[in-house]
Amino acid sequence: MASGAPQQSSQMAEETPGFLDAFLRDFPAPLSPDSPLPWNVPGTVLSQEEVEGELAELAVSFLNSRNAPLPLASSLAHEAVSQLLQMDLSEFRKLPRQEEEDNEEEEKEKAPVTLLDAKGLARSFFNRLWEVCSQWQRQVPSTARAPQQQWLVSIHAIRNTRRKMEDRHVCLPTFNQLFGLADPVDRAYFAVFDGHGGVDAAKYAAVHVHANIARQPELPTDPARALREAFRHTDEMFLLKAKRERLQSGTTGVCALITGKTLHIAWLGDSQVILVQQGQVVKLMEPHKPEYQEEKERIEALGGFVSHMDCWRVNGTLAVSRAIGDIFQKPYVSGEADAASRELTGSEDYLLLACDGFFDVVPHQEVAGLVQGYLVRQQGSVLQVAEELVAVARERGSHDNITVMVVFLRDPQDLLEGEAQGANGKSRDLPSDLSEPVNNTPQRS
C-alpha cells in the first residue's frame, strides 16, 4: 500500500460515485462458482488469524489498481472484511496435510491451527466486496466520507544488483479507515521490511504487522507496547506458516505509527528510521546488530555465538540478530522488537525510513543536507526525493536492495524558507554529492 501525494477529502467525494459506478459496470453481478477470480489468491491456505490481514491487503491492492481513492479503498476493504468475518467460515476449513502432524510431541499442548481454503475465501470475499460497493453506490456511509489528515510521502525501492527484490514497504495514512477505528485520534502507519533468504517473511510482515497493531488492546493507551506485541505476534504467526510450508526466510523491519501528535516507532534488526527537525538529524533508535555488546551477550547466554566471517554473523550464518522468521535460528535471532515514543511539536521536518542497503553507505548526518539540496534544486517539489537518495546510495557502492521512504511532517516550502533565512546568518556546507544533480529517471526492479 503506497501513497505518493495527499488525499484531498473534496476530491474523494467527487471521485467516489464515479469509481463505484465504473466498478459495478465492470462487475455487474457477483462471481459465479465458475467465474475466474479478478485477483491473485494469497497462497493455498490461510490460518484463521491470517484472514483479516490477507484479505484487507488483497482488497486495497485490487481497488488501488483500479484507481480508487485510498480512503475509499480502505473503508470498502474494512466493511467487506468485517462482514466476511461475521460469517460461518467452516465451509472453507481444510484438514492439515499428514506430514504436518509429524512433530506431535511438540504440538500436543498447543491449540490446533484452523486452516481455511484461500481460493474459496477469496471468491466469497470478492462477492462480499461487490455487495458493499452495490450498497454504497446508493449511499456512502458518513464514516467513509470523514476528512483525514493529509500526508506527503516519497518512496523509492530498487532491486539493485541483487538477483531478487526482497524488500517490502507499507505506506498507510488511512490506518483508522482500514481497521474501522472510530475514536478521534488520527493514525498513520509507515514501514520498511528488509527480507533475507527469500521474500516470504518480508511480504508477510508487510501484510500482518499493522493488522496485528490494530488488534492490540493497548493501542489506544500504550501504542509503543502495541507495536512491540504486534512484531512479536507476527513472528509467531510466520513461524507457524514457515513450519507448514517449509520456509526459511526472515526479515528485519522498522515502522512508524503517528497517533495524533505523538510518534511511535518499533524495529527489529538493522532497518532504521531517523527524524530531521529544523534541518538537524535526531537519532531515534539503536539498530540491532550481532556485534553490539548487548546483542552478543544475549546470543551467547542462549548458547549461540557471534563470529566474524566477512561481517559479524550469528552462529556463523545470519548477519542480523533480530528478525521476523529465520525459523532455524530461533531463539538466537530474536523476534522481540524495541520501541520508542516521542511527542511532536510541529517543528519536525520529516521522517526517513530505510533498509541497511541505504544506511550502510549514507551516514545519518548527511541525510538532511542531501534532502535540502534536492529541495533547493527542485524548488520544493518532493515526490522524487526518495529516488534521489536511493541513487546516492547506489553511486556510493551499495549492491543490496535499497528502499527509502520520506514522510514529510510539514510543508516542504517551509523547509526552503528556513534554509533561506539560515543563509542570511551562518552558512551550512552540503555534501559533495550535491555538486551535480542526480539523474531522476525512475528505476524499475
Side-chain angles (χ1 to χ4, degrees), residues 244-432:
R244 288 196 307 269
E245 301 180 13
R246 293 177 167 79
L247 305 175
Q248 300 182 32
S249 60
T251 185
T252 66
V254 62
C255 73
L257 179 70
I258 301 175
T259 62
K261 296 186 181 302
T262 308
L263 167 67
H264 310 278
I265 64 169
W267 67 96
L268 269 178
D270 52 10
S271 295
Q272 299 182 58
V273 56
I274 61 171
L275 172 69
V276 175
Q277 182 175 26
Q278 296 182 317
Q280 302 299 315
V281 173
V282 178
K283 187 175 182 179
L284 299 175
M285 53 162 285
E286 193 70 54
H288 304 124
K289 297 187 177 184
E291 66 268 29
Y292 289 1
Q293 189 64 29
E294 186 175 335
E295 292 295 278
K296 188 170 182 289
E297 290 176 355
R298 177 183 62 79
I299 292 163
E300 290 175 346
L302 291 167
F305 64 92
V306 174
S307 59
H308 192 275
M309 308 167 56
D310 75 317
C311 66
W312 291 100
R313 297 182 180 274
V314 177
N315 296 336
T317 56
L318 288 176
V320 298
S321 60
R322 298 199 193 191
I324 288 170
D326 294 315
I327 188 168
F328 294 115
Q329 288 296 333
K330 287 291 191 284
Y332 314 108
V333 173
S334 171
E336 296 290 332
D338 278 329
S341 300
R342 180 186 180 92
E343 292 299 317
L344 300 175
T345 66
S347 62
E348 295 81 10
D349 302 340
Y350 52 87
L351 293 170
L352 185 142
L353 298 87
C355 60
D356 65 336
F358 176 78
F359 280 118
D360 279 352
V361 296
V362 180
H364 290 180
Q365 63 268 24
E366 292 189 19
V367 168
L370 289 166
V371 173
Q372 190 67 36
Y374 174 84
L375 293 178
V376 169
R377 291 196 305 279
Q378 300 298 322
Q379 299 181 331
S381 174
V382 302
L383 290 183
Q384 289 183 303
V385 65
E387 186 173 335
E388 172 139 332
L389 293 171
V390 167
V392 169
R394 192 174 187 182
E395 289 171 1
R396 293 188 181 186
S398 177
H399 298 289
D400 202 353
N401 299 155
I402 308 173
T403 298
V404 171
M405 181 185 301
V406 184
V407 182
F408 284 88
L409 301 175
R410 58 189 179 115
D411 190 335
Q413 290 294 336
D414 293 344
L415 309 188
L416 282 181
E417 291 170 8
E419 177 72 10
Q421 293 170 5
N424 295 328
K426 187 165 62 175
S427 64
R428 189 189 316 170
D429 293 333
L430 297 179
S432 58

Side-chain angles (χ1 to χ4, degrees), residues 12 24 39-40 131 176 180 187 209 224 254 292 300 327 393 431:
M12 186 190 120
L24 293 168
W39 48 33
N40 293 324
E131 293 284 354
N176 284 358
R187 294 181 182 87
V209 169
V254 62
Y292 289 1
E300 290 175 346
I327 188 168

